[in-house]
Amino acid sequence: MPRVRDVQLYDEMLEAIKTLARAQMSQEGTSSLSLRGIARDLGVTAPALYRYFPSRDDLITALIVDGFTALAHTLEAADANHDCADYRGRFADICRAYRRFALERSVDFQLIYGNPIPGYVAPKEVTVPTVIQVFTVFSIVFIEAFNAGKLKPLPQDRLQPTVVAGLEQIITRNQVPTDVPVMYGVFAAWTKIHGVVMLELFHHLEQTVGDTALFFENELALLIDQLGFL
Amino acid sequence: MPRVRDVQLYDEMLEAIKTLARAQMSQEGTSSLSLRGIARDLGVTAPALYRYFPSRDDLITALIVDGFTALAHTLEAADANHDCADYRGRFADICRAYRRFALERSVDFQLIYGNPIPGYVAPKEVTVPTVIQVFTVFSIVFIEAFNAGKLKPLPQDRLQPTVVAGLEQIITRNQVPTDVPVMYGVFAAWTKIHGVVMLELFHHLEQTVGDTALFFENELALLIDQLGFL
DNA sequence: TGTACATCAGTGAACGCGCGTTCACTGATGTAC
DNA sequence: TGTACATCAGTGAACGCGCGTTCACTGATGTAC
């Protein structure tokens, strides 16, 4: 951040740029982000943007980080709406929020989970921590449910040893206070929900199952049972 | 197709263009397809391509159709490798082929299931039939297994009435010779596999579960039981 | 077998547009005396 | 309170590059007589 006269104005400009960037992406696709286009929309010349972002890639990075954070907050908010002990309800609402986010803020969703942007490489040290945020929200419900005796996860002998080893690594690396089978449930859930949402988002389901919202609810209900939520 | 002097040469040129297009997309992303770039690679001027494709969009359409067809054939081939009565094995291999296709031919996979290409609109009358092809391969195993008494699908009362209605529509529209619960299984399977594959493809799993191949196998084994394959 | 001619396949120039980034610059702003 | 001056915020021109598509054209090819 260069020296700035008015911090508030500066921050407003930052936000304005990112908002217009998202608008542009939602019209033209995530890969068509153009600094000149943003400058045009903003009524300013293109070089002016370089005071706010050193390059186009830095703008993209900021948008990706924002996207992950927004998703994580959305999921957290959905979780907070609930009686703590209603684990089935909490989990369901988190999943619903995941879907709603994907459909309503599809730019952000495509940006974080869709095709990579050509020529752009995400700086891992920046994006990885934010990826974890999302994943953490899911974990918390599982862990709390399990500790309350309200989750009966898959027995560990149904998991491949290498998978177990991988999960153990995450558990220790991120200091997640739980066991492998519980952790496995998080991934089983996430991958399922993600699949349904992705296919719905890109309109591969509506031609086939028809009412995608109800299909989602149906799959969600079955999933909750399968995962062992009591 | 314009009048052509040598049909074989013409077809070879068509293939060459599409091959270079795929190569370009795999380097620069599906949205960065450039006719001029292809012409350059081909050692020819850009207008020459207009003898083969009336526009960039027509080339994209051809690539998408090819992608769906290739995926469908890959799945069919995986299915053909098997003792007909080994339904669990057949289903597992189809899913493995789906994953392998996504990872090995990721351009095609991103093209058909990933972010839409900005400014491009798929002509539905062309692409929809090819979408069905893929879906059909999955259906066949389910139907055959069910008819052989080797699949115990979810009871219909666990499905939402509207979802049932939607599935009935597909069944009659495409003249699929089976019942709603069997059809539902196809979607339950597809969405699950798709979710795992998508997340692996874009490297969201490797940071977390570690060995993604084994994670896939693990999820697949569980899925086969859940779906009711005997 | 030899020649005239239609046509196919690809060229080269042009149109009008886009892009990210660098650079020297100007005018407005706030501050220090 | 008034003026000089540093610096911030944004300008405008330029660099060197990209793109899809149209158009009149040329040279090679195969065919018909």
Side-chain angles (χ1 to χ4, degrees):
Chain A
M1 172 162 146
R3 277 198 188 150
V4 160
R5 203 162 258 159
D6 183 331
V7 180
Q8 194 187 325
L9 260 177
Y10 183 85
D11 286 347
E12 281 173 21
M13 189 72 169
L14 267 185
E15 284 308 315
I17 293 171
K18 291 195 285 188
T19 302
L20 285 171
R22 276 185 280 261
Q24 214 181 75
M25 282 183 161
S26 85
Q27 284 222 323
E28 302 287 336
T30 52
S31 53
S32 310
L33 181 67
S34 137
L35 289 184
R36 293 191 107 104
I38 295 168
R40 219 178 295 127
D41 293 352
L42 214 52
V44 122
T45 59
L49 300 184
Y50 282 75
R51 197 164 290 278
Y52 302 90
F53 294 96
S55 76
R56 178 175 177 269
D57 281 12
D58 292 278
L59 172 54
I60 294 175
T61 302
L63 292 170
I64 290 176
V65 170
D66 277 13
F68 276 117
T69 308
L71 176 55
H73 287 164
T74 303
L75 300 186
E76 276 162 14
D79 192 23
N81 263 341
H82 253 274
D83 173 13
C84 266
D86 176 13
Y87 302 102
R88 292 171 69 98
R90 284 171 63 186
F91 174 71
D93 271 1
I94 292 176
C95 294
R96 290 185 187 116
Y98 193 86
R99 171 171 176 267
R100 220 179 311 116
F101 185 92
L103 299 180
E104 286 174 7
R105 306 185 53 173
S106 65
V107 200
D108 293 287
F109 198 78
Q110 287 181 42
L111 194 58
I112 62 184
Y113 289 128
N115 298 12
I117 294 178
Y120 168 77
V121 192
K124 293 224 165 167
E125 68 283 6
V126 177
T127 54
V128 169
T130 56
V131 175
I132 304 289
Q133 283 188 314
V134 172
F135 161 80
T136 303
V137 188
F138 277 98
S139 310
I140 288 171
V141 198
F142 276 78
I143 294 170
E144 292 187 10
F146 180 71
N147 291 344
K150 290 290 196 174
L151 175 71
K152 203 170 163 254
L154 210 69
Q156 183 152 341
D157 61 4
R158 301 224 41 199
L159 306 181
Q160 303 260 7
T162 335
V163 174
V164 172
L167 292 173
E168 269 165 357
Q169 268 199 11
I170 318 170
I171 288 174
T172 50
R173 202 189 315 135
N174 299 302
Q175 300 169 2
V176 189
T178 194
D179 303 334
V180 167
V182 176
M183 200 82 281
Y184 189 84
V186 175
F187 286 102
W190 182 34
T191 51
K192 172 78 211 187
I193 295 300
H194 190 76
V196 181
V197 166
M198 267 288 180
L199 286 171
E200 179 178 6
L201 180 60
F202 294 142
H203 308 105
H204 297 291
L205 279 186
E206 65 184 17
Q207 311 163 6
T208 39
V209 297
D211 189 331
T212 51
L214 277 169
F215 177 75
F216 180 84
E217 282 302 320
N218 215 131
E219 287 284 82
L220 181 55
L222 296 172
L223 178 64
I224 290 173
D225 285 344
Q226 274 167 17
L227 289 170
F229 278 100
L230 302 177
Chain B
M1 172 163 146
R3 280 198 187 147
V4 161
R5 202 162 259 160
D6 183 331
V7 179
Q8 196 186 324
L9 260 177
Y10 182 86
D11 287 346
E12 281 174 20
M13 189 73 169
L14 268 185
E15 283 310 313
I17 293 171
K18 290 195 285 188
T19 302
L20 285 170
R22 276 186 280 262
Q24 214 181 76
M25 281 182 162
S26 86
Q27 284 223 324
E28 300 287 337
T30 53
S31 52
S32 310
L33 181 66
S34 137
L35 290 184
R36 293 192 106 104
I38 295 168
R40 218 179 293 126
D41 293 352
L42 213 51
V44 122
T45 59
L49 300 185
Y50 282 76
R51 197 164 290 278
Y52 301 90
F53 294 97
S55 76
R56 178 175 177 270
D57 281 11
D58 292 278
L59 172 54
I60 295 174
T61 301
L63 292 170
I64 291 177
V65 170
D66 277 13
F68 276 118
T69 308
L71 176 55
H73 287 163
T74 304
L75 300 186
E76 276 161 14
D79 192 22
N81 264 341
H82 252 274
D83 172 12
C84 265
D86 178 13
Y87 303 102
R88 293 171 70 98
R90 285 172 63 184
F91 174 72
D93 271 2
I94 292 176
C95 293
R96 291 186 186 114
Y98 192 87
R99 170 171 177 267
R100 220 178 312 114
F101 186 92
L103 300 179
E104 286 174 6
R105 306 185 54 174
S106 66
V107 201
D108 293 287
F109 199 79
Q110 287 181 42
L111 194 58
I112 63 185
Y113 288 129
N115 298 13
I117 295 179
Y120 168 77
V121 192
K124 293 224 165 164
E125 67 283 5
V126 178
T127 53
V128 168
T130 56
V131 175
I132 304 289
Q133 284 188 312
V134 172
F135 161 78
T136 302
V137 188
F138 278 98
S139 311
I140 289 172
V141 199
F142 276 78
I143 295 171
E144 292 187 10
F146 180 68
N147 291 343
K150 290 292 196 175
L151 176 71
K152 202 169 162 255
L154 210 70
Q156 182 153 339
D157 60 4
R158 300 224 42 199
L159 307 181
Q160 304 261 6
T162 335
V163 173
V164 172
L167 292 173
E168 268 164 359
Q169 267 198 11
I170 319 170
I171 289 175
T172 50
R173 204 190 312 134
N174 299 301
Q175 300 169 0
V176 189
T178 195
D179 302 334
V180 166
V182 177
M183 198 84 280
Y184 190 83
V186 174
F187 285 102
W190 182 34
T191 50
K192 173 76 212 190
I193 294 300
H194 190 76
V196 180
V197 166
M198 268 288 180
L199 285 170
E200 178 178 6
L201 180 58
F202 295 142
H203 308 105
H204 297 291
L205 279 185
E206 65 185 18
Q207 310 164 6
T208 40
V209 298
D211 189 330
T212 51
L214 277 169
F215 177 75
F216 180 84
E217 282 301 321
N218 215 131
E219 287 284 81
L220 182 53
L222 296 172
L223 178 63
I224 290 174
D225 285 344
Q226 275 167 17
L227 290 170
F229 278 99
L230 302 177

